[in-house]
Amino acid sequence: MSSSDQSMVYVISDSVGETAELVVKAALSQFSQGKAAITRIPYVEDTSTVDDVITQAIENNGVIAFTVVVPEVKNYLLQQAASHNVPIYDILTPMITLMENRLNTSPKNKSGLIHTLDEDYFRKVEAIEFAVKYDDGRDPRGVLRADVVLIGVSRTSKTPLSQYLAHKRLKVANVPLVPEVEPPEELFDVPSEKIIGLTISPKKLNTIRTERLKALGLKEEANYAALERIEEELLYSARIMNKIGCRIIDVSTKAVEETANLIYQLVHHHSS
């Protein structure tokens, strides 16, 4: 089949144009292959580009499908297509109108918003992957790349806090503080305002660790949950936090969500 036998479909968008092209391809899949060729014209923001597409559509007996939402360009496109008898299909307006009536509010009429949402989604995924990779001090290099670094003894909710904050698009690394293990050198190269120390009352931590041992089927008398050991760890962690000069949050009576929101506010207050 020669190109002259094909129909031309011009896909116009004031953004990337992927949405319109997918709709056109879905429609064309209902017909025999080779009957139509698609030309995508993205980022159409001026009337001169509209004139060029209209001219090509006339010359190639083409049709136009579009997802232009900026009123000036959209109206000009519709007017020119009508005056030159070029078949044209508006992909978004029927759905936008339906949503406008249902939601009882006006659309933004801004191009590229779906890609803004996509970027936000990928930032969240990246933050979640970061939290997993740099959890529990696995790779100390992560503290230098993090938006916030959480430090504290075991069972002060460092990991769940890291994941919760990742869903808020923050890259979080966490480092356990253990008396027998020196903190990574990188920790002292991070600005203190980026580090949050987590502390907890000895009795509360004793209860948490005892329950943890039960869940693992281990003896409750293990040194891990011994009050003397816990007090030793907390004293050590307090010295490290004071040396760094970071802000400290007592998580004894706070839910993870409450602590996470507090950290989020502290980080954004500093960056603003």
Side-chain angles (χ1 to χ4, degrees):
M1 180 178 289
S2 65
S3 59
S4 60
D5 295 325
Q6 287 184 323
S7 295
M8 292 296 299
V9 181
Y10 295 91
V11 173
I12 301 178
S13 176
D14 47 18
S15 185
V16 179
E18 291 175 344
T19 302
E21 185 171 6
L22 285 171
V23 171
V24 170
K25 285 182 175 178
L28 288 175
S29 69
Q30 301 297 315
F31 303 91
S32 300
Q33 293 184 352
K35 292 292 186 180
I38 300 173
T39 298
R40 191 204 306 184
I41 304 97
Y43 303 112
V44 177
E45 299 176 341
D46 57 85
T47 56
S48 61
T49 304
V50 171
D51 290 335
D52 291 341
V53 177
I54 292 292
T55 299
Q56 291 180 50
I58 294 171
E59 292 175 353
N60 295 293
N61 194 32
V63 299
I64 295 173
F66 72 92
T67 54
V68 176
V69 295
V70 177
E72 295 77 8
V73 180
K74 172 186 168 183
N75 292 336
Y76 184 80
L77 173 60
L78 290 170
Q79 290 167 3
Q80 291 302 305
S83 63
H84 291 89
N85 294 317
V86 174
I88 190 166
Y89 183 72
D90 185 344
I91 292 174
L92 284 181
T93 297
M95 180 57 74
I96 289 176
T97 301
L98 178 63
M99 292 295 100
E100 181 178 9
N101 294 334
R102 174 62 64 180
L103 300 174
N104 195 29
T105 187
S106 299
K108 296 178 180 179
N109 289 326
K110 292 182 180 179
S111 61
L113 292 180
I114 189 170
H115 294 283
T116 301
L117 294 175
D118 287 345
E119 289 170 11
D120 183 65
Y121 169 77
F122 286 118
R123 278 198 299 271
K124 181 168 74 171
V125 171
E126 185 180 9
I128 293 171
E129 291 176 344
F130 187 96
V132 172
K133 183 175 182 180
Y134 298 111
D135 181 47
D136 208 30
R138 287 178 193 160
D139 186 345
R141 293 173 298 179
V143 303
L144 300 174
R145 298 178 49 217
D147 296 318
V148 60
V149 180
L150 306 180
I151 60 174
V153 301
S154 174
R155 312 312 293 178
T156 49
S157 300
K158 296 185 299 298
T159 296
L161 282 169
S162 297
Q163 288 294 327
Y164 192 98
L165 290 166
H167 281 80
K168 290 181 174 288
R169 289 70 172 165
L170 285 180
K171 293 181 179 178
V172 185
N174 73 75
V175 178
L177 298 180
V178 184
E180 294 78 14
V181 180
E182 283 292 320
E185 294 180 3
E186 290 86 349
L187 190 60
F188 299 96
D189 294 329
V190 178
S192 60
E193 57 269 15
K194 279 192 171 186
I195 301 176
I196 302 292
L198 304 174
T199 190
I200 190 171
S201 72
K203 288 186 178 181
K204 178 68 173 179
L205 187 54
N206 170 257
T207 300
I208 293 172
R209 289 189 175 182
T210 299
E211 290 300 319
R212 178 60 175 166
L213 290 173
K214 285 181 183 178
L216 295 173
L218 301 174
K219 293 182 179 180
E220 298 175 31
E221 300 81 31
N223 192 42
Y224 177 70
L227 199 55
E228 185 178 351
R229 169 63 183 184
I230 286 173
E231 289 173 342
E232 177 190 355
E233 288 185 35
L234 290 172
L235 185 62
Y236 170 76
S237 69
R239 286 201 298 265
I240 297 297
M241 292 173 194
N242 289 332
K243 181 178 179 180
I244 293 171
C246 63
R247 290 165 291 189
I248 300 173
I249 297 176
D250 190 332
V251 301
S252 302
T253 60
K254 291 182 175 64
V256 170
E257 296 84 354
E258 183 182 359
T259 306
N261 288 330
L262 179 56
I263 294 171
Y264 186 81
Q265 291 169 12
L266 289 172
V267 171
H268 276 264
H269 175 73
H270 171 74
S271 60
S272 60

